[in-house]
Amino acid sequence: MGVQIERFARLVKALPECEQRTSEQYTTFRVRGKPFGYLWPRTATVGLKQTLLEQAALVAERPEVFEVQFTAGGFGWVVVHLDGIDLDELSELTLEAWYLTAPDELLVAPPTPASLVEA
């Protein structure tokens, strides 16, 4: 189990209109200018936008893999430790983060978790 940083980056790049902005500490992933994820290479963790219910469920179920990052605008962001998650689950959570952020016109023909895994 575990996902390498490079593999996560490929997965995110397969999302429609995904943009990335890299700073000294982390990389931000956006769709049409709105963030849906972060990557911190130093700690091999990612932050993903989720619903508040999903945030609470993930952290309660596996606190060794997920932790609360912050809440904003009715959403709960989770920190995901890449060494504790498999690619299928990470692709689902990443796609959900993108769904929660992407404008409606991009959701007409969205990617699937399986298509991200194959990327």
Side-chain angles (χ1 to χ4, degrees), residues 23-24 31 34 36 38 41 45 50-51 61-62 64 67 72 74 76 80 82 86 90 101 105:
S23 70
E24 189 173 310
V31 58
K34 296 181 180 180
F36 67 88
Y38 297 90
T45 57
Q50 299 294 303
T51 65
E61 182 179 305
R62 292 188 318 208
E64 70 282 1
E67 58 187 88
V80 181
L82 291 176
D86 66 34
L90 183 60
T101 310
E105 62 265 19

Side-chain angles (χ1 to χ4, degrees), residues 71-90:
T71 60
F75 296 100
W77 290 71
V78 293
V79 173
V80 181
H81 295 266
L82 291 176
D83 63 355
I85 193 167
D86 66 34
L87 185 59
D88 289 335
E89 184 178 21
L90 183 60

Side-chain angles (χ1 to χ4, degrees), residues 68-118:
V68 172
Q69 184 178 9
F70 62 90
T71 60
F75 296 100
W77 290 71
V78 293
V79 173
V80 181
H81 295 266
L82 291 176
D83 63 355
I85 193 167
D86 66 34
L87 185 59
D88 289 335
E89 184 178 21
L90 183 60
S91 69
E92 289 176 18
L93 293 173
T94 303
L95 184 57
E96 180 65 21
W98 180 86
Y99 267 112
L100 292 171
T101 310
D104 289 342
E105 62 265 19
L106 290 182
L107 302 179
V108 173
T112 64
S115 70
L116 297 181
V117 168
E118 293 170 7

Side-chain angles (χ1 to χ4, degrees), residues 14-76:
L15 292 166
E17 296 194 31
C18 179
E19 309 157 1
Q20 71 179 55
R21 295 183 187 162
T22 302
S23 70
E24 189 173 310
Q25 300 292 324
Y26 59 89
T27 300
T28 305
F29 299 98
R30 300 172 183 267
V31 58
R32 297 225 178 141
K34 296 181 180 180
F36 67 88
Y38 297 90
L39 166 66
W40 294 276
R42 185 179 60 79
T43 59
T45 57
V46 298
L48 295 171
K49 185 179 191 178
Q50 299 294 303
T51 65
L52 291 171
L53 288 174
E54 186 69 11
Q55 178 197 50
L58 289 168
V59 173
E61 182 179 305
R62 292 188 318 208
E64 70 282 1
V65 177
F66 303 104
E67 58 187 88
V68 172
Q69 184 178 9
F70 62 90
T71 60
F75 296 100

